[in-house]
Amino acid sequence: MDVKQREGVLSALRDAVKPEVYDVWCKSLTFEETDGGWTVPTANLFHRELMDRELRAPLEEAFKRVYGVVPRVVFVVREDFRPPAETPAAPRVEAPVNPRLRLNETYTLDKFVVGPSNRMAHAAALSVAEGGRSIYNPLFIHGSVGLGKTHLLQGVCRRLLDRNPHLKIVFASCEAFVNDYITAVRKNGLDGFRARVRDLDVLILDDIHFLAGKEGSQEEFFHTYNALHGFGKQVILSSDARPEDIPTLQKQLVSRFKSGLVAMIDTPTFEMRAAILSMKAKDRGWDLPDDVLHYLAGAIQSNIRELEGAVTKVIGYASVTGRAIDLELAREVTRDLLEIRVSPISVTDIQKRVAQYFKIDVAEMRARRWKKSTSLPRQLAMYLARAHTGHSLKEIGGLFGGKDHATVVYAVQRVERLRDKHGEVRAHLDALTRLLNRQC
Ligand code: ADP
Ligand code: MG
């Protein structure tokens, strides 16, 4: 086959498959003529099977367009095969781990309470869990911490596995994905990593905002995403912010994430909180009276994980003391829980302290326009506000000159990075934390 013919076949192929598929799998194909057909070298067994399954038909069609007949096409594994775009590495396909092992037993869809704050996310998740090619691809669920993202994603994973135990599905935190990727790069095992993640029917990645500030991982995830999505494989993601609010996320990823369905989980209503409390208690074999449910649901509003903490405490206390669970007991037990929430340190205190410490004007903290020279103190103050007050990211941003939630996320992540790398920043943080603790 000469260059022209190869180009002809490739361009016919390009018309027949999605652009992402073409980029990842087709661009670098070579063809060797054999008796009455064509041999197509591939890098490893995984690639061979996948291409045989997904590319045979479009490839035969492409040959037909150039040569006028449908030839015999054989995909073969060549040990020395090096597609130009891939890094050379030995293929390493690990035995799949039973995905159920990674799932929390109580995070099932029938134990997920549905209401106005999560109805859309839940409906989309259900539709994906019913299997088949979904229109919600990717499904992107976002919401603050403790509002049920992980529960919902794991519920979908479990339901899909119940329907089809042979489904190639991975549920993982984005952090695990990033760590695997980094290990693969270090050990020269990128092929194996790619083989594992690109051969899935469904990829569910939790807390995708973890990609913020990680360029290499973003790039790799982009290719993973394209490879899967290109073949109509389902991708489900969760994040603590909307795609466009994840700091430093590459534009191409933002637009991919927005191309399916983006659904938000908001803070639950009073009725939902009461229903969740009741369900969590029943799970442990306890029936809470209505007035206790209502009291707790009224007292703890923002975070479901805290609600659960309250149930655990109430039940724990009742079982140890042998007392019946009533309103009085609930009040006693949750007193300290509620006090912790109303932190004695305010954002204003933190701003003052940090400004004093760095000898800058406290107005800098709340200024609308920021000077570059004071960015570290401001970011440290945001970090401390996040760590020591109960304010949401949005509220904290508001108190720092009306900045948005993403700015605070970015500040917190930057400080975490610096804290781990630079002794000097760690020392500032320790000193400031001591000052703040002394104050209260
Ligand atoms: P996130 O991943 O958004 O931080 P999680 O999924 O870990 O939150 O949820 C925190 C806790 O709240 C979990 O124990 C979960 O079971 C519970 N939870 C959250 N939303 C619901 C819901 N709608 N129904 C029942 N339990 C819920
Ligand atoms: Mg989670």
Side-chain angles (χ1 to χ4, degrees):
M1 178 189 283
D2 62 24
V3 175
K4 258 250 154 74
Q5 286 167 328
R6 177 170 181 267
E7 273 174 8
V9 171
L10 287 183
S11 104
L13 200 51
R14 194 203 311 258
D15 294 341
V17 300
K18 294 191 178 169
E20 306 95 288
V21 174
Y22 183 82
D23 275 349
V24 176
W25 299 103
C26 307
K27 215 163 49 182
S28 52
L29 286 181
T30 57
F31 311 103
E32 297 164 5
E33 199 159 6
T34 56
D35 212 358
W38 295 94
T39 294
V40 185
T42 66
N44 54 44
L45 240 144
F46 153 73
H47 282 189
R48 200 198 65 171
E49 275 173 19
L50 189 110
M51 287 158 92
D52 201 3
R53 201 170 60 226
E54 306 282 355
L55 287 181
R56 168 173 295 284
L59 197 56
E60 287 175 349
E61 200 47 43
F63 274 108
K64 190 173 170 207
R65 252 173 64 180
V66 175
Y67 294 96
V69 285
V70 176
R72 203 164 56 87
V73 175
V74 184
F75 294 94
V76 296
V77 177
R78 284 278 156 73
E79 296 297 338
D80 57 349
F81 180 82
R82 294 269 172 270
E86 304 260 354
T87 323
R92 182 176 63 97
V93 182
E94 278 178 8
V97 184
N98 180 356
R100 279 177 198 273
L101 294 179
R102 289 174 191 241
L103 302 179
N104 182 322
E105 278 194 1
T106 62
Y107 289 2
T108 58
L109 288 180
D110 42 312
K111 288 194 177 146
F112 190 80
V113 172
V114 185
S117 70
N118 60 17
R119 198 179 302 285
M120 178 161 146
H122 176 258
L126 259 195
S127 134
V128 169
E130 292 313 313
R133 298 218 157 177
S134 94
I135 42 169
Y136 305 132
N137 198 8
L139 173 59
F140 188 100
I141 305 237
H142 69 96
S144 306
V145 61
L147 295 186
K149 302 180 294 294
T150 302
H151 185 144
L152 191 57
L153 262 49
Q154 291 203 6
V156 172
C157 184
R158 193 174 279 276
R159 176 76 57 91
L160 283 166
L161 278 170
D162 286 346
R163 296 173 63 92
N164 175 6
H166 303 295
L167 201 67
K168 283 183 259 172
I169 181 166
V170 158
F171 169 90
S173 67
C174 181
E175 188 172 1
F177 175 90
V178 168
N179 289 341
D180 278 4
Y181 167 67
I182 292 171
T183 310
V185 171
R186 212 178 46 228
K187 296 199 174 149
N188 213 12
L190 260 185
D191 269 1
F193 172 80
R194 288 177 178 155
R196 282 196 305 279
V197 295
R198 293 183 189 178
D199 184 35
L200 295 169
D201 299 314
V202 182
L203 174 64
I204 308 181
L205 274 191
D206 200 9
D207 294 332
I208 196 84
H209 53 266
F210 191 75
L211 284 180
K214 303 185 178 66
E215 259 171 59
S217 300
Q218 287 189 22
E219 191 70 34
E220 186 62 31
F221 180 74
F222 182 64
H223 293 301
T224 304
Y225 175 85
N226 286 342
L228 290 171
H229 191 264
F231 286 138
K233 304 306 166 80
Q234 179 73 47
V235 178
I236 310 176
L237 306 166
S238 83
S239 156
D240 69 356
R242 293 182 304 175
E244 59 270 40
D245 290 340
I246 300 176
T248 80
L249 192 69
Q250 289 165 14
K251 283 214 175 66
Q252 49 187 13
L253 276 177
V254 175
S255 78
R256 291 294 191 282
F257 290 173
K258 288 168 77 172
S259 68
L261 183 83
V262 176
M264 178 178 184
I265 301 190
D266 217 330
T267 45
T269 60
F270 175 80
E271 291 77 11
M272 289 170 74
R273 295 199 296 277
I276 292 170
L277 278 168
S278 164
M279 177 171 283
K280 297 285 177 189
K282 283 211 178 88
D283 259 0
R284 298 179 166 95
W286 291 76
D287 227 342
L288 300 193
D290 278 352
D291 56 351
V292 170
L293 288 178
H294 293 166
Y295 166 72
L296 293 174
I300 301 170
Q301 305 201 347
S302 60
N303 182 322
I304 300 176
R305 210 168 281 144
E306 274 182 37
L307 271 182
E308 277 198 86
V311 175
T312 309
K313 263 192 120 169
V314 168
I315 291 176
Y317 195 72
S319 53
V320 169
T321 58
R323 274 173 61 186
I325 296 182
D326 55 15
L327 200 51
E328 194 191 340
L329 181 137
R331 283 217 173 92
E332 268 173 52
V333 169
T334 53
R335 193 170 299 133
D336 53 333
L337 208 67
L338 301 181
E339 272 165 14
I340 297 171
R341 282 163 30 79
V342 189
S343 160
I345 303 178
S346 71
V347 173
T348 318
D349 293 334
I350 293 173
Q351 290 175 333
K352 268 193 220 147
R353 279 283 171 207
V354 176
Q356 269 169 9
Y357 178 88
F358 284 103
K359 303 193 174 54
I360 58 175
D361 186 351
V362 68
E364 285 281 319
M365 296 278 172
R366 299 170 207 142
R368 236 164 216 292
R369 300 191 53 129
W370 283 359
K371 280 196 216 147
K372 219 172 163 161
S373 59
T374 54
S375 81
L376 182 66
R378 250 182 350 249
Q379 288 176 335
L380 286 171
M382 285 185 171
Y383 170 90
L384 290 166
R386 183 69 181 146
H388 294 285
T389 75
H391 287 289
S392 68
L393 295 166
K394 199 170 151 203
E395 288 164 349
I396 294 173
L399 293 165
F400 280 81
K403 301 293 170 188
D404 62 5
H405 143 279
T407 310
V408 185
V409 173
Y410 179 78
V412 170
Q413 288 181 344
R414 174 155 186 256
V415 171
E416 282 170 352
R417 256 195 329 272
L418 293 174
R419 177 193 64 193
D420 297 339
K421 272 202 221 135
H422 299 286
E424 195 191 352
V425 171
R426 211 164 29 245
H428 287 326
L429 271 178
D430 287 347
L432 284 165
T433 307
R434 267 197 308 277
L435 284 171
L436 288 168
N437 284 338
R438 200 176 306 148
Q439 169 180 330
C440 55

